[in-house]
Amino acid sequence: MIEDPYLGKYISCVSARSTDREILKKAQDGGIATTLMVYALEEGMIDGTIVAGEGDRPWQPKPVVAMTREDILKARGTKYSISPQISWLKEATRSFGLDKVGVTGVCCQMQAVRKAQLYPINMRDVPDKVAFTVGLFCMENFPYKSMQSIVEDHAAQSLGSVKKMEITKGKFWVYTERGNVATVPLKATHKYEQPGCHVCLDYVSNLADISTGSVGSPDGWSTVFIRTKKGNEIWSKAVAAGMFETKPIEDVKPGLDLLKKLAKEKIDKNQKTIEERKTFGVNKALRNPYA
Amino acid sequence: MGLLNSIKKIMGWEAKPAQVAMEKKVEATKEIKPVTNKIKIGHVHMSGCTGCLVSLADNNLGLIKILDDYADLVYCLTLADVRNIPEMDVALVEGSVCIQDKESVEDIKETRKKSKIVVALGSCASYGNITRFSRGGQHNQPQHESFLPIGDIIDVDVYIPGCPPSPELIRNVAVMAYLLLEGNEDQKALAGKYLKPLMDLAKRGTTGCFCDLMNDVINQGLCMGCGTCAASCPVRAITLEFGKPQGERDLCIKCGSCYGACPRSFFNLDVIPEFESISEIIAGALKEGESDD
Ligand SMILES: Cc1cc2nc3c(=O)[nH]c(=O)nc-3n(C[C@H](O)[C@H](O)[C@H](O)COP(=O)(O)OP(=O)(O)OC[C@H]3O[C@@H](n4cnc5c(N)ncnc54)[C@H](O)[C@@H]3O)c2cc1C
Ligand code: SF4
Ligand code: SF4
Ligand code: SF4
């Protein structure tokens, strides 16, 4: 077990890409999240999984309990807006009757799952029925109207025409169906971020069974942390079954150094915010959830 | 990790080689958990619907294991034939206190006097919950009108919110209370850390409401839209609109669950990230037959 103050605890870390061409067609990066959940479903390790599916508006995510390959595939690709994944956590065990629940989501949602397992406040059945979690790396998220402003006002593209969005190399990238590529410098997007993200102390989903993101690996590949015993078991089986191509993380560029740098930047900045909240008013502090 | 490993070792819950001599094992576990060290637990029934007690019982074999190895149920009107409130290590109090009912008021005071740790079991004991809506006038005690959470009458040590509280949280608190009272230094430290946020909830107050999310999470700039609050609400009063919780405030029964469950009410970084080992410790403690002789 490796323990890093910024990258959390993990058993191993690799660069990987799905071998499923259909999944890769619309995956955000290496199709890790989708492929893992499809594999776990088909092998009976989960009965279904919470994913960020399609909402009512263009690029608005909506949490969905997916119980088929088809529904898991519908959630491919990153939506840069809030998808309250955990709102379905208990219902998944009740209305949907799942005994083995999968969860995909960002770092704070992995934290929410673990809190629900250790402190199950009105979360009957949840602690023992969470079967497998895949967490995403996450620097920040945006309210829907923020994302709309970035895409429509700053990048001057209509949301309905967008094929993919991505945050990388210091910019917010918008790719349209017709082949337009527009970028917005992150300097301009910071003010639109969800405020709750500014006290977030996790960049790489430290509490997931397996966590994944793009940073650290070449385009089209993903960086993958295998963190728990359960994650290790599922990952080993999936790799043995030929679901992924893998490369040692040490052999790829830009590698773990960049990831560590970004993780440190995020966490140090947010620690500072938490510190500043202590003296926000005149003899009045803003609340610290970690105290 | 060091702490947790040593606890597992001391409790005899670490993975053991398959061929451990049975004799030795029994002897060793006896040494660790002599029956005399069982703690005394009681269930005190105030004005509640018995749903909390049913949740406790819903631990099934886990409950039997707790009663076999860790705790004696010394008081419980429904399950044990004891009339007067005895000395207890842990009192699990279900229900709120009707202040027009002299006996209830005396009982709750007596409970405080006789117990080392008073736990508000469930939302009625913690926050009043559904009994907040009483206006009296019901048969056969129409004058029984006013119900208060136990924290308005006595000091309370730990809250287990929930309507009903989940069997798993009751189980976790029971195991941790045992470690706190009967464990070694490391075990006490872990149990203390685990219980702290539930003790802080008890200090925080006796009202629970969707409004807590507005006042202490959203208005404080802490909400990140995870949706946990909606999952925890027993009456489905919470929906997420554009990623933020909205409460149907007339539906809210004042159970306080959403706030307790929210990862931004409390998130103890010295406990939750250890979920894997702590879950193993709790599962190990309750494993059927392992230390049975
Ligand atoms: C808000 C946000 C910020 C991110 N920031 C970073 C970053 O800073 N650095 C980095 O390396 N990676 C970041 N990621 C992760 C990255 O964009 C990819 O999601 C990740 O690499 C998985 O790609 P994939 O090809 O394996 O997933 P796919 O196979 O394409 O599947 C995508 C999965 O993501 C889930 N998902 C999509 N949108 C959301 C959402 N809004 N909320 C919760 N779950 C969602 C879906 O349920 C699905 O399971 C971020 C993701 C999100 C949602
Ligand atoms: S930055 Fe943190 S709080 Fe914000 S969405 Fe990402 S994981 Fe959640
Ligand atoms: S549980 Fe807390 S952080 Fe999550 S959506 Fe509800 S109020 Fe926001
Ligand atoms: S909104 Fe729901 S969970 Fe929150 S206090 Fe009201 S009834 Fe309880």
Side-chain angles (χ1 to χ4, degrees):
Chain A
M1 185 73 77
I2 300 160
E3 280 197 61
D4 181 281
Y6 296 101
L7 303 180
K9 281 194 259 185
Y10 57 98
I11 296 169
S12 57
C13 177
V14 292
S15 188
R17 184 170 67 181
S18 174
T19 53
D20 187 319
R21 278 165 190 276
E22 192 197 0
I23 289 177
L24 281 179
K25 243 186 254 164
K26 277 190 153 184
Q28 184 73 15
D29 299 305
I32 307 299
T34 301
T35 306
L36 274 172
M37 284 305 175
V38 166
Y39 177 73
L41 181 77
E42 289 175 349
E43 294 299 310
M45 296 156 173
I46 57 170
D47 303 323
T49 179
I50 302 172
V51 294
E54 292 165 18
D56 301 333
R57 296 172 173 75
W59 289 93
Q60 183 186 33
K62 183 174 88 179
V64 169
V65 179
M67 292 181 286
T68 60
R69 172 185 164 99
E70 198 191 348
D71 281 349
I72 298 175
L73 260 63
K74 274 192 203 149
R76 283 169 299 172
T78 300
K79 295 99 193 159
Y80 285 99
S81 189
I82 305 156
S83 182
Q85 306 286 82
I86 312 306
S87 58
W88 284 111
L89 188 60
K90 195 165 67 170
E91 288 300 343
T93 72
R94 308 199 144 212
S95 306
F96 294 84
L98 307 189
D99 283 328
K100 291 174 270 178
V101 181
V103 187
T104 63
V106 285
C107 321
C108 56
Q109 297 171 335
M110 297 297 119
Q111 295 184 328
V113 170
R114 300 318 180 183
K115 179 172 171 183
Q117 287 185 282
L118 277 191
Y119 295 97
I121 295 176
N122 238 327
M123 288 286 193
R124 189 186 172 123
D125 289 340
V126 166
D128 303 335
K129 291 193 175 180
V130 171
F132 182 39
T133 61
V134 176
L136 309 174
F137 303 173
C138 181
M139 188 59 87
E140 73 277 286
N141 205 347
F142 300 95
Y144 186 74
K145 297 283 171 184
S146 289
M147 181 184 62
Q148 194 173 24
S149 294
I150 293 167
V151 172
E152 300 198 332
D153 303 344
H154 289 262
Q157 308 299 321
S158 109
L159 258 183
S161 73
V162 174
K163 193 169 76 182
K164 179 174 180 169
M165 290 176 221
E166 190 177 22
I167 296 180
T168 182
K169 302 175 183 92
K171 291 185 187 131
F172 193 113
W173 300 68
V174 180
Y175 305 87
T176 69
E177 296 286 359
R178 278 166 40 200
N180 260 344
V181 182
T183 62
V184 183
L186 293 185
K187 261 204 313 275
T189 65
H190 286 320
K191 71 169 183 185
Y192 293 108
E193 292 163 8
Q194 166 176 242
C197 295
H198 297 154
V199 297
C200 174
L201 299 177
D202 187 340
Y203 176 52
V204 286
S205 278
N206 293 355
L207 304 190
D209 289 319
I210 294 178
S211 72
T212 186
S214 58
V215 170
S217 290
D219 285 352
W221 285 67
S222 295
T223 302
V224 184
F225 287 99
I226 294 95
R227 297 186 176 278
T228 63
K229 285 179 200 154
K230 192 182 286 167
N232 198 30
E233 186 194 324
I234 295 177
W235 181 256
S236 312
K237 284 186 182 158
V239 171
M243 309 303 292
F244 299 105
E245 309 172 65
T246 67
K247 290 180 189 168
I249 192 72
E250 297 76 21
D251 294 357
V252 301
K253 291 259 165 339
L256 272 189
D257 286 346
L258 178 64
L259 196 57
K260 262 188 205 165
K261 178 173 164 275
L262 293 184
K264 184 172 180 334
E265 271 173 26
K266 168 177 175 173
I267 292 165
D268 288 351
K269 177 172 74 66
N270 290 351
Q271 284 281 19
K272 196 167 154 245
T273 304
I274 292 167
E275 210 44 47
E276 286 164 0
R277 288 170 62 94
K278 287 185 184 156
T279 54
F280 193 84
V282 182
N283 297 326
K284 300 278 178 190
L286 295 180
R287 211 171 61 75
N288 178 357
Y290 308 105
Chain B
M1 272 315 282
L3 174 72
L4 290 157
N5 277 337
S6 73
I7 289 168
K8 280 199 244 173
K9 211 174 245 152
I10 293 156
M11 296 293 282
W13 299 331
E14 54 182 343
K16 292 186 194 108
Q19 310 298 339
V20 183
M22 200 56 199
E23 252 177 32
K24 234 180 165 179
K25 188 182 158 193
V26 171
E27 220 174 65
T29 40
K30 263 193 184 151
E31 237 172 48
I32 295 151
K33 294 188 283 281
V35 177
T36 47
N37 275 1
K38 281 166 89 173
I39 60 171
K40 295 195 192 95
I41 288 198
H43 173 263
V44 180
H45 210 311
M46 294 281 123
S47 295
C49 71
T50 322
C52 301
L53 183 63
V54 170
S55 267
L56 170 72
D58 276 348
N59 277 298
N60 301 326
L61 291 178
L63 176 67
I64 291 168
K65 179 75 175 172
I66 290 174
L67 296 180
D68 271 353
D69 286 13
Y70 304 110
D72 281 321
L73 190 66
V74 295
Y75 183 73
C76 178
L77 288 182
T78 321
L79 300 175
D81 189 20
V82 178
R83 285 296 166 85
N84 297 316
I85 295 173
E87 299 277 339
M88 292 176 271
D89 292 310
V90 180
L92 302 170
V93 184
E94 164 172 356
S96 56
V97 185
C98 175
I99 59 173
Q100 285 93 24
D101 180 32
K102 251 173 79 185
E103 219 178 300
S104 296
V105 177
E106 271 164 27
D107 277 358
I108 194 67
K109 289 182 182 166
E110 186 73 1
T111 300
R112 179 66 276 182
K113 227 187 282 166
K114 296 255 176 88
S115 321
K116 284 193 191 135
I117 301 175
V118 173
V119 178
L121 176 63
S123 289
C124 291
S126 307
Y127 297 115
N129 195 37
I130 197 81
T131 67
R132 290 272 184 204
F133 296 86
S134 163
R135 303 295 181 266
Q138 72 281 356
H139 270 309
N140 55 353
Q141 305 279 4
Q143 76 285 10
H144 284 184
E145 180 174 293
S146 318
F147 296 80
L148 286 175
I150 63 171
D152 284 342
I153 315 284
I154 61 167
D155 288 330
V156 181
D157 303 300
V158 175
Y159 274 10
I160 303 183
C163 182
S166 71
E168 297 91 344
L169 184 55
I170 302 173
R171 166 195 81 187
N172 293 359
V173 170
V175 171
M176 291 298 172
Y178 174 82
L179 293 181
L180 188 73
L181 294 169
E182 292 298 332
N184 60 34
E185 289 312 305
D186 285 349
Q187 292 164 342
K188 283 195 164 99
L190 172 71
K193 278 195 228 163
Y194 175 88
L195 292 171
K196 182 173 181 291
L198 302 176
M199 297 170 77
D200 290 344
L201 282 182
K203 286 197 201 98
R204 181 172 172 271
T206 56
T207 57
C209 177
F210 173 78
C211 314
D212 295 340
L213 294 181
M214 300 199 291
N215 301 340
D216 282 1
V217 181
I218 304 164
N219 296 170
Q220 286 279 333
L222 296 171
C223 174
M224 42 55 184
C226 63
T228 308
C229 47
S232 77
C233 179
V235 293
R236 297 186 173 123
I238 303 175
T239 51
L240 281 110
E241 311 294 338
F242 290 102
K244 298 288 149 161
Q246 296 296 340
E248 190 72 61
R249 290 186 302 282
D250 273 354
L251 265 185
C252 171
I253 57 169
K254 314 286 177 192
C255 76
S257 300
C258 49
Y259 181 75
C262 168
R264 293 285 168 88
S265 65
F266 70 84
F267 196 88
N268 42 358
L269 291 163
D270 51 352
V271 174
I272 297 175
E274 302 296 341
F275 64 95
E276 209 182 1
S277 8
I278 295 177
S279 303
E280 279 171 17
I281 286 177
I282 292 168
L286 298 180
K287 218 200 232 143
E288 202 30 40
E290 194 174 79
S291 68
D292 258 352
D293 34 4

